[in-house]
Amino acid sequence: MAVTDEAIEKIKSMIVSGALRPGDRLPKECELAADLGLSRNSLREAVRALSLVRILDVRQGDGTYVTSLDPRLLLEALAFVMDFHRDDTVPEFLAVRRILEPAATAMAAGRIEAGELDELERRLDALGPRPSVAELVACDLEFHRGIVAAAGNSVLSSLLDGLSGPATRARVWRGLTQQDAVSRTLAEHRAIVAALRDRDPEAARAWATAHVASVEQRLRSAL
């Protein structure tokens, strides 16, 4: 194991074991290096690496702290990495989304507020008949984010946000060349909203599955 990897594992063990908790300040560099049997250089590199993935927060002139370890914060790195995937792997991301998003939509059926549903419909109405790709991406992103957020599971919400952020959705819309792609997608969105208004989790799950599968199928055909 590389020296820096060893340092990362030792700091990770301290956090996992509870020796360091969310919000705790790390001991001074010289003390922590001595306690862990590490060189100060390797400890510094480990801290830098862990700060990049939002495990640690380095505050200039104040010290280094364990972050809140909130799922949204930790999974930001996933969203960043996902933006580097190739266009030909987009269907694979959609396949994973097809597994997770229907479950989140079914969960939302019993929790989403009427006002939130009104807002989803307002966004769909505001698109008009000939939206641009940028407008479609923004609407699609907020539509699905709103539903998944209503499911009340921050880990699931963050995973789905990372799997299908703005960059991925833009690639999907650029790939959907069929003339009826926009109208069909909006019709599927409205069917999902109707199922949510009916507080019918199984119908919501079915429509969400059909929607993502439809996009996936059309995209595979276009590719």
Side-chain angles (χ1 to χ4, degrees):
M1 181 184 291
V3 176
T4 302
D5 291 340
E6 181 185 0
I8 290 172
E9 283 299 318
K10 287 186 175 182
I11 297 173
K12 174 185 171 184
S13 295
M14 293 180 71
I15 296 172
V16 172
S17 69
L20 286 172
R21 298 181 179 277
D24 281 356
R25 180 177 176 176
L26 269 64
K28 292 181 179 179
E29 184 182 90
C30 57
E31 296 174 4
L32 185 58
D35 289 343
L36 297 178
L38 301 167
S39 70
R40 293 177 69 171
N41 280 340
S42 61
L43 177 61
R44 215 168 284 142
E45 288 299 319
V47 168
R48 186 176 294 115
L50 290 170
S51 68
L52 289 174
V53 292
R54 313 303 293 273
I55 303 294
L56 298 179
D57 179 19
V58 180
R59 304 176 189 173
Q60 198 66 34
D62 185 16
T64 299
Y65 293 79
V66 180
T67 67
S68 65
L69 303 180
D70 180 83
R72 287 188 179 276
L73 186 67
L74 298 180
L75 289 169
E76 279 182 8
L78 172 65
F80 178 77
V81 170
M82 292 300 180
D83 285 346
F84 291 93
H85 65 267
R86 304 185 313 273
D87 282 359
D88 61 352
T89 63
V90 170
E92 295 181 22
F93 285 86
L94 281 169
V96 177
R97 184 178 156 199
R98 177 161 42 87
I99 296 169
L100 297 177
E101 192 156 310
T105 306
M107 291 165 64
R111 301 172 58 97
I112 195 165
E113 301 288 339
E116 293 173 310
L117 290 168
D118 291 341
E119 177 62 17
L120 292 178
E121 288 191 325
R122 187 195 67 76
R123 288 180 179 276
L124 295 178
D125 292 339
L127 269 182
R130 303 179 72 84
S132 66
V133 169
E135 289 169 333
L136 282 168
V137 168
C139 180
D140 195 48
L141 189 65
E142 291 308 314
F143 179 84
H144 291 286
R145 270 182 178 166
I147 293 172
V148 174
N153 186 308
S154 61
V155 174
L156 186 56
S157 179
S158 298
L159 278 172
L160 282 165
D161 215 28
L163 282 168
S164 193
T168 300
R169 289 177 191 272
R171 291 177 184 186
V172 168
W173 278 112
R174 285 198 299 268
L176 294 180
T177 56
Q178 298 95 331
Q179 290 184 347
D180 66 340
V182 174
S183 59
R184 285 179 61 183
T185 298
L186 295 181
E188 291 161 0
H189 280 180
R190 292 187 186 281
I192 292 170
V193 172
L196 292 172
R197 282 200 186 279
D198 289 341
R199 304 296 174 187
D200 187 335
E202 291 313 310
R205 185 195 307 273
W207 275 113
T209 301
H211 169 56
V212 180
S214 173
V215 174
E216 184 185 352
Q217 182 182 35
R218 280 177 273 157
L219 187 61
R220 287 186 186 278
S221 297
L223 292 176

